[in-house]
Amino acid sequence: ALLVAALLYVDQYRTGLVQAEINSLVTQGKLIAGALGENALSSPAGAMTLDTKAARQILRRMISTVRTRARLYDEDGLLLADSRELVARRQVVLGVLPPPETPDALTRWFDRRYQQVYRWFVAPPSGDYGYSRLAQQESAEVLRALDGHVASNVAKIGGGLMDISVAMPVEGLRKVLGALVLSVDSGDIEAAVRAERLHALELLLGVLFITALLSALLAGTIGRPIRRLAQAADRVRRLQGRHVVIPDFTDRGDEIGDLSGALRAMTFAVYRRLDAIEAFAADVAHEIKNPLSSLRSAIEIVTRTTDPEQQRRLLKIVEADIGRLNRLISDISDASRLDAELSRAETGPVDLAAMLRTVVEIYAAAAADGGPRFEIDLGASDAELKVPGVETRLGQVIRNLVDNAVSFSPPGGTIRLAAYREGPYVRITVDDEGPGLPEGKLDAIFDRFYSERPPAEQFGTHSGLGLSISRQIVEAHDGQIKAENRLDLARRVVGARFTVELPVR
């Protein structure tokens, strides 16, 4: 609508044509006025005036087109000659008429609508020339021309047409002897303007058609895929079905494909987290059930036995089971809030070299006689062994690995901690000289509640969550942790090695 309104209002094309018509009339009028001033003069009683007969002959010869009308006035403003009367009296104008046009119904309907819109919206042409009613035009132009000026005007004459006229003085011997008025209707101009509007409207309709096609294309390639993604995300929010499939648009290679991939990855992570929570809850229930069953059995026997020695043994079992429950609950609580703490904690540069030195000093000072010895090997400068992370949690990982090495180290064994830089990563290794890890269990030892303890260790001393928590912390820092057996030249197991890999950035 705005384009159509602008097309009808901003009518510079017509204004230019009107001005060009005025300039043409001015040029033609100057030639005719010059001819009249030189060849149509008479001097009765010594007064120089226009010779009416000669002036009419000059007008008849010089008016080349029927469309142009010329009128000559004397110095008193009286009409001396009119080209239309001269042509009508002296000659018959012959012309070949074009064949009658029979426009179709669509063309007729469009013409009617065009005329209605034209009358409603199209303003009269603007310019530096005047604009008045036709009745006022004649006298004003003649008076201005008799004053020695060239005047122009545009007036409505009905039917959507305008009368374009110019008036100029007819001079002879430096005296204004009369006024010449040339006028022409705007039929040709309106036809040209209408043709241009039709071309513009055809272009507009073509643009609208292309816009409609592009809108349908965009709706199909953008709107509909986004709607499908939104509906799938809403089903995930309402948890309708355990595994809602997010539409896969990643092969598009554009922003919609990126959004689809991100939503699919996010949904997979949500389902994986839900599965982990369910599995964790099941594991917790299973692990707590064992000491509770042992407690119930011991308490039932205590209530039935009268043997003091047996009661003391049963009470020790109860005490051990309570301690085991306490450790389980503490470790379970630590593991359950670990994700939330890591997501909220502020990360900062962690000096792994200083951390390893501190851990070695603490464990070496607390080691009992016959306990393992500690060695540290830093294969890089302290500045190269800094990583972004949560210092307390990374320290927990190192302590868990050292505790595990202490548990399996033989008396007088050596635990070696090393750190070195390798490309964009810092690798930390903890080696012991224990019996090594069971074959086929190198990854299973990081599962929750997995426990593979030394035979001499009291049952229930560890909950089996230490290595699982360590892997959770390392993966939260975009790193990885793995375990392997150390072998000598004869391919015999001489200990275990845990490797932690953390990105520098």
Side-chain angles (χ1 to χ4, degrees):
L2 291 175
L3 288 174
V4 172
L7 179 66
L8 295 176
Y9 269 111
V10 184
D11 206 357
Q12 299 297 327
Y13 181 64
R14 181 204 278 116
T15 302
L17 291 180
V18 170
Q19 188 60 48
E21 190 71 42
I22 291 175
N23 295 336
S24 176
L25 290 176
V26 170
T27 302
Q28 186 178 358
K30 288 181 179 180
L31 293 176
I32 298 175
L36 291 173
E38 292 183 2
N39 303 305
L41 299 178
S42 64
S43 54
M48 187 67 66
T49 61
L50 288 173
D51 186 345
T52 303
K53 183 178 180 181
R56 288 180 176 178
Q57 292 177 353
I58 293 175
L59 286 180
R60 187 184 301 115
R61 294 191 187 99
M62 299 195 70
I63 297 302
S64 58
T65 63
V66 179
R67 286 185 60 250
T68 303
R69 180 184 181 184
R71 283 155 292 176
L72 180 63
Y73 298 84
D74 64 9
E75 57 186 341
D76 295 325
L78 299 177
L79 180 63
L80 297 180
D82 188 337
S83 63
R84 288 187 178 178
E85 294 180 358
L86 295 175
V87 172
R89 290 176 183 175
R90 300 293 180 179
Q91 64 182 17
V92 177
V93 179
L94 300 177
V96 179
L97 296 177
E101 296 182 357
T102 55
D104 54 19
L106 180 61
T107 303
R108 293 195 301 271
W109 177 88
F110 180 80
D111 287 339
R112 289 195 297 270
R113 301 288 84 77
Y114 177 83
Q115 292 299 332
Q116 290 177 356
V117 174
Y118 182 88
R119 289 193 296 271
W120 290 342
F121 293 103
V122 176
S126 60
D128 56 0
Y129 43 82
Y131 182 83
S132 65
R133 296 178 181 272
L134 188 60
Q136 302 170 351
Q137 172 183 336
E138 193 80 16
S139 60
E141 288 181 344
V142 171
L143 291 176
R144 187 167 176 78
L146 291 176
D147 288 337
H149 303 286
V150 177
S152 62
N153 209 328
V154 179
K156 290 181 179 179
I157 59 176
L161 298 178
M162 299 175 295
D163 182 80
I164 305 170
S165 62
V166 297
M168 57 190 56
V170 178
E171 298 177 346
L173 300 177
R174 299 182 180 181
K175 178 184 177 182
V176 176
L177 302 177
L180 176 66
V181 178
L182 299 179
S183 63
V184 66
D185 64 64
S186 62
D188 292 343
I189 293 177
E190 294 302 327
V193 171
R194 184 175 183 274
E196 290 299 322
R197 283 206 181 102
L198 289 177
H199 293 322
L201 289 175
E202 290 174 356
L203 178 62
L204 176 62
L205 292 177
V207 171
L208 290 177
F209 178 72
I210 295 174
T211 302
L213 290 180
L214 291 177
S215 299
L217 179 63
L218 291 177
T221 58
I222 296 179
R224 191 174 298 113
I226 290 180
R227 188 180 302 111
R228 290 179 59 190
L229 291 175
Q231 292 172 349
D234 191 56
R235 289 195 299 270
V236 172
R237 179 182 62 85
R238 295 196 302 265
L239 295 178
Q240 293 182 350
R242 187 62 182 85
H243 290 282
V244 177
V245 178
I246 302 294
D248 187 5
F249 300 121
T250 53
D251 57 345
R252 291 168 55 111
D254 57 4
E255 290 81 0
I256 303 297
D258 295 340
L259 176 62
S260 171
L263 287 176
R264 288 172 62 87
M266 181 186 67
T267 305
F268 177 75
V270 169
Y271 287 141
R272 185 175 60 184
R273 182 60 56 85
L274 291 176
D275 292 338
I277 292 174
E278 292 179 357
F280 183 70
D283 293 341
V284 168
H286 175 74
E287 291 298 322
I288 291 180
K289 186 176 180 180
N290 290 334
L292 286 178
S293 299
S294 176
L295 274 173
R296 184 177 61 182
S297 299
I299 292 174
E300 288 178 355
I301 296 175
V302 166
T303 58
R304 292 198 301 265
T305 184
T306 57
D307 185 0
E309 184 62 28
Q310 189 175 9
Q311 288 180 346
R312 282 195 297 271
R313 288 198 303 270
L314 292 172
L315 290 176
K316 288 183 179 180
I317 294 175
V318 169
E319 183 180 3
D321 287 336
I322 291 175
R324 183 183 175 191
L325 279 173
N326 183 53
R327 285 188 293 273
L328 274 173
I329 292 172
S330 298
D331 290 344
I332 289 170
S333 175
D334 187 29
S336 62
R337 66 171 181 266
L338 182 59
D339 280 342
E341 289 185 2
L342 289 174
S343 63
R344 292 193 300 264
E346 293 290 336
T347 60
V350 179
D351 190 346
L352 295 178
M355 179 184 295
L356 293 177
R357 292 191 188 98
T358 302
V359 169
V360 169
E361 291 176 1
I362 293 175
Y363 277 85
D369 293 339
R373 297 181 297 105
F374 291 88
E375 294 181 359
I376 184 171
D377 179 16
L378 300 180
S381 63
D382 291 3
E384 294 180 326
L385 298 179
K386 289 185 178 181
V387 297
V390 182
E391 185 172 6
T392 56
R393 288 302 180 177
L394 291 179
Q396 181 180 358
V397 172
I398 302 301
R399 291 195 303 273
N400 287 344
L401 296 181
V402 173
D403 286 337
N404 186 78
V406 170
S407 299
F408 287 95
S409 289
T414 301
I415 297 176
R416 181 177 294 100
L417 282 72
Y420 56 95
R421 177 75 174 270
E422 186 172 327
Y425 297 94
V426 171
R427 285 185 172 85
I428 304 171
T429 60
V430 179
D431 298 347
D432 62 48
E433 296 179 349
L437 302 171
E439 291 296 333
K441 299 292 184 179
L442 299 181
D443 189 63
I445 61 174
F446 295 102
D447 294 340
R448 286 189 300 267
F449 304 112
Y450 179 89
S451 182
E452 190 77 29
R453 309 308 304 172
E457 185 178 283
Q458 182 181 357
F459 175 76
T461 303
H462 291 83
S463 63
L465 287 173
L467 292 180
S468 175
I469 292 175
S470 298
R471 182 169 64 176
Q472 189 176 357
I473 295 172
V474 172
E475 290 179 351
H477 286 77
D478 295 328
Q480 59 180 355
I481 183 173
K482 62 180 181 180
E484 57 185 337
N485 285 320
R486 297 170 53 241
L487 305 177
D488 59 9
L489 296 178
R491 308 296 297 173
R492 292 175 301 185
V493 176
V494 294
R497 169 176 292 171
F498 287 84
T499 303
V500 175
E501 186 179 85
L502 296 172
V504 176
R505 294 182 179 84

